Amino acid sequence: MELLTNVLAATVVAGTPLLLVALGELICERSGVLNLGQEGMMLMGAVAGFVAALTSGSLVVGVAAAILAGIGMSLLFAFMAVSLAANQYAAGLALTIFGTGLSAFLGAGFVGQSIDGFTRVAIPFLSDIPVLGRVLFDQDPLVYLSLMAFAGVAIFLRQTRGGLLLRAVGEDPEAANANGLNVLVLRYLAVAFGGGMAGLAGAYLSLAYTPLWTENMTAGRGWIALALVVFATWRPERVVLGAYLFGAASILHLVLQGLGWKSSTELLAMLPYVVTILMLVLLSWNPGRTRLNTPLSLGQPYRPGR
Amino acid sequence: MLLLERRPVDSSLMRWTSPLLALVLTVTTGFVLFLSMGKDPMDGLKFFFITPISDLMGLAELGLKMAPLLLCAAGLTVCYRAKLWNIGAEGHFLMGALGASIMAVWLVDADGFWVLPVVLLAGTLAGMLWAAVASGLKTHLHCNEILTTIMLNYIALNLLLYVVHGPLKDPYGFGFPQSVMFADSALLPALIPGTRLHLGLAFGLLAAVLVWVLFARSFIGFQLNVVGQDHRAAAFAGFGARRLTWFAFLVGGATAGLAGASEVTGPIGQLVPQVSPGYGYTAIIVVFLGRMHALGIVVASALLALTFIGGEMLQIAMNMPKAVTGLFQGLLLFYLLICDAFIHYRIRLKWPSRQTTIAAKTVTGDA
């Protein structure tokens, strides 16, 4: 029981960065924009968060810097993909390559340094619930933030006028435009939200998960999140489940080692990537389901007044 | 007011000046960057672009880095022409290095002219195998190739790390994760004696020629172009998209696999964990910068090879972080895509009269 609780708690921690970045990408894709630059934005968030926290001595400043860095990167993407109507695949890929290079450059002087990252803060009463209390209510503040972000995104999409407008733009930008919506502005906002969330996810890695900076520390999480959003058929609840499933896959090697299994770390480290491919294969069993749920204009640039 | 307006016809002039413009913008940014870091920008640019290739040794190093880039880019060109977004060259490359290394270690006591071809073939096939996985997932299970190839890259990297830390680890290597040195018969001969430049560059140039022949002279190249430009037209013409996908992926896997095999049998001579400084990813930039054209990718691969040795030079001469290479590559691709927008669009300087303002508003929906 003790072990199970600890494993579940570690699963939530490992799944949190994925949850954050996937929620941002979910909003972005719901507006019809596919941003493959998640990995680059996360890396920039991670390095900006770490450097800001180290130099200012404040984790909150670090988180704010990470979010701003993510937004800044996403605006570069929006300029290319939304304003200049560039190919979204190429623009996103460019953002990832650029972010990888820039983050490595900016962080070069900070490799090997460490800070005191976020620590667990138990919520009174709630954390006393058996198992669930430790798993969900005795975590670091960013985990709570990710859960609030989930609730916010779910309510926004389903219950608010803003969510309706966002979905309208993603489904049919022409019709949305005819109804007086400014498609480009809404898409900019959605992309920026995705950037902020990716930056925050990066900060989670460099300020909470492993409080240090190394090149490419995201290790493909931005790409896994992209697959996750498709797998979740663009629904927030499924994104949460998927993120924690991946969290479990990525800590499995620690669990097995804890149980006394002798297996190669490198082979087990493949697991999250293999699971991602398996997930994509599972999707192909029912292509109609994916097609029905895909925002109709996803990936297509929109030029007003063509 | 600046207006972005679609050109009636795409600008072919812009298509070829866009890479040059992107390079100018990147160098300008580099200039500002050096200034902001308190370094002499002229010195910085000289150490990055000129010093590394000012002697024969430097040119040989350039060719050494150019070989894997050009090989990977040649294969990716075939994929991207057909709009197959294969990001997996890095994985194919690593698998090629791994496959060749396993064969070379197995044949470590063998001698004869046949050893090297067998080792290279093993690498090529390993790269093709890895590409076949992505191809099968795409054609039979409709998995997005961007995501599967990225995931396969990470899996290939971990597989290589496992093998180099485990089965292939040299028992007398003082615990370092590396294989035994390959036999001389498994090593690529030098192109210029006395330098590290090896036959891999010739493979790269040959691949570029083959890409040119494929697209200028062959029916399958034509089919790949049509599939890329208009999927429906290709279907009406009866071109098998599935068959073409397999072709493109296997070519991509073969060239990148050969590149990986050439790297371990060329400059390295054994399997080590850091086989690639990201050649497979940089090759993507080469393809875009080289306009998916055979001659273009040759020039672009030389430029991007220069960013690798230029970055090392800056590290030595000016104490800059080596990551300047990645930054330069990222900037270049980024500026390239912005410039590319002006192939399809042009900027119009317009002072709209009152009436057109209203008209524009109704069209854009600002009202």
Side-chain angles (χ1 to χ4, degrees), chain A residues 36 39 76 80 83 85 89-90 93-94 98 101-102 104-105 108 177 182 220 223 264 266 270 273 280-281 284 303 305, chain B residues 4 85 87 137 141 143 146 150-151 154 158-159 161-162 165 321 323 326-327 330-331 333-334 337 345 363-366:
Chain A
L36 296 183
E39 189 82 2
L76 287 179
M80 288 194 283
S83 293
Y89 281 1
L93 207 56
F98 178 59
L102 185 59
F105 180 76
N177 177 36
N182 193 325
W223 294 104
S264 150
E266 290 86 13
M270 288 177 196
Y273 313 114
L280 293 168
V281 170
S284 74
R303 298 271 329 138
Chain B
L4 200 61
W85 300 102
I87 316 295
L137 285 170
L141 297 168
C143 298
I146 297 184
I150 284 273
M151 293 303 135
Y154 284 104
N158 279 301
L159 202 60
L161 290 177
Y162 163 71
H165 281 97
L327 177 63
L331 274 175
L333 179 62
F334 179 71
L337 285 178
Y345 298 97
V363 171
T364 52
D366 281 344

Side-chain angles (χ1 to χ4, degrees), chain A residues 35-268:
Chain A
N35 185 352
L36 296 183
Q38 306 298 326
E39 189 82 2
M41 298 192 297
M42 271 180 93
L43 281 167
M44 283 301 293
V47 75
F50 184 77
V51 173
L54 188 72
T55 47
S56 72
S58 157
L59 291 172
V60 177
V61 172
V63 169
I67 294 176
L68 285 178
I71 293 177
M73 289 292 282
S74 71
L75 291 179
L76 287 179
F77 170 81
F79 175 65
M80 288 194 283
V82 179
S83 293
L84 296 179
N87 180 326
Q88 292 180 9
Y89 281 1
L93 207 56
L95 196 70
T96 284
I97 292 177
F98 178 59
T100 309
L102 185 59
S103 63
F105 180 76
L106 293 175
F110 298 90
V111 176
Q113 304 198 41
S114 69
I115 51 169
D116 294 326
F118 281 99
T119 46
R120 275 158 43 191
V121 181
I123 297 179
F125 306 117
L126 285 176
S127 59
D128 295 334
I129 307 171
V131 186
L132 205 64
R134 167 70 184 91
V135 173
L136 286 180
F137 302 112
D138 186 8
Q139 298 279 17
D140 61 72
L142 293 184
V143 171
Y144 304 140
L145 191 62
S146 75
L147 293 173
M148 284 190 279
F150 155 66
V153 165
I155 293 169
F156 172 76
L157 278 176
R158 298 256 161 71
Q159 310 285 332
T160 67
R161 189 178 145 74
L164 191 68
L165 300 184
L166 181 83
R167 277 151 55 199
V169 165
E171 294 297 333
D172 192 338
E174 269 84 16
N177 177 36
N179 278 294
L181 291 182
N182 193 325
V183 174
L184 299 188
V185 167
L186 271 167
R187 285 195 165 173
Y188 255 91
L189 289 174
V191 170
F193 179 77
M197 291 297 279
L200 183 59
Y204 190 78
L205 291 176
S206 67
L207 297 179
Y209 197 63
T210 47
L212 46 83
W213 160 256
T214 48
E215 264 182 49
N216 278 319
M217 68 184 300
T218 48
R221 285 186 180 84
W223 294 104
I224 292 178
L226 282 160
L228 195 57
V229 173
V230 183
F231 189 67
T233 54
W234 293 269
R235 287 183 200 173
E237 321 76 54
R238 294 184 185 164
V239 165
V240 178
L241 285 177
Y244 291 153
L245 182 78
F246 270 103
S250 59
I251 58 157
L252 194 68
H253 63 280
L254 297 176
V255 178
L256 289 180
Q257 273 168 5
L259 288 172
W261 265 44
K262 284 216 189 292
S263 184
S264 150
T265 330
E266 290 86 13
L267 287 181
L268 283 169

Side-chain angles (χ1 to χ4, degrees), chain B residues 348-362:
Chain B
R348 271 295 181 79
L349 201 62
K350 231 179 200 169
W351 299 107
S353 68
R354 205 180 132 65
Q355 260 183 333
T356 50
T357 317
I358 294 166
K361 276 200 166 171
T362 12

Side-chain angles (χ1 to χ4, degrees), chain B residues 27 31 34 40-54 306 309-311 313-314 317-318:
Chain B
V27 171
F31 196 90
F34 284 123
D40 182 0
M42 289 322 284
D43 266 5
L45 293 176
K46 197 185 88 194
F47 280 126
F48 195 81
F49 285 106
I50 301 175
T51 319
I53 47 168
S54 51
L306 185 55
I309 46 180
M313 186 58 80
L314 279 184
M318 297 183 82

Side-chain angles (χ1 to χ4, degrees), chain B residues 239-293:
Chain B
F239 302 163
R242 203 179 258 201
R243 193 174 50 86
L244 291 169
T245 303
W246 274 97
F247 176 80
F249 269 94
L250 289 180
V251 170
T255 53
L258 180 61
S262 308
E263 200 66 13
V264 285
T265 56
I268 306 179
Q270 67 185 139
L271 185 65
V272 293
Q274 309 83 13
V275 180
S276 165
Y279 288 132
Y281 294 116
T282 305
I284 299 169
I285 309 177
V286 172
V287 179
F288 280 118
L289 196 68
R291 315 278 80 179
M292 304 189 199
H293 187 279

